[in-house]
Amino acid sequence: QNMLYYMYMIKEKHMTYEFVCKPNPDFNFDELKVFSETHGCDYNLVLGADYPISFTSDNFDYIDEARDQLLFAKIEVSEIVEV
């Protein structure tokens, strides 16, 4: 029974995806919360880092769309990775 439970838990494990961005001088930090909520992502500001904003989501489509929107706005972003 424990083995079946273990196998079920592995199957139910959700992947989390992340990318980071480096805002340009025109980036509006005031809209960051609304942007992330609208795209189903969480964000984290990393002060002093080369890429100071990381975005995460357990839904690849959501985070991919958020990344595309930032690319369209000419914001430098990393590739999406599983974390």
Side-chain angles (χ1 to χ4, degrees):
Q1 184 177 3
N2 286 341
M3 183 60 131
L4 287 175
Y5 176 75
Y6 179 71
M7 289 173 62
Y8 174 77
M9 293 304 291
I10 289 174
K11 245 185 194 181
E12 290 299 308
K13 181 181 176 192
H14 295 286
M15 301 308 281
T16 300
Y17 304 96
E18 176 184 60
F19 73 90
V20 293
C21 78
K22 183 177 185 178
N24 62 26
D26 298 327
F27 190 83
N28 187 346
F29 283 90
D30 294 337
E31 295 183 17
L32 189 55
K33 181 179 180 185
V34 172
F35 176 83
S36 64
E37 289 174 353
T38 301
H39 289 86
C41 299
D42 294 317
Y43 72 93
N44 185 36
L45 291 170
V46 184
L47 299 177
D50 287 341
Y51 289 83
I53 304 172
S54 66
F55 291 90
T56 57
S57 178
D58 60 356
N59 185 308
F60 183 83
D61 292 334
Y62 291 170
I63 201 157
D64 191 42
E65 177 62 25
R67 183 179 179 275
D68 286 348
Q69 290 292 317
L70 292 171
L71 278 171
F72 183 75
K74 308 248 189 272
I75 305 292
E76 189 176 335
V77 297
S78 71
E79 295 297 320
I80 297 171
V81 295
E82 291 180 10
V83 291

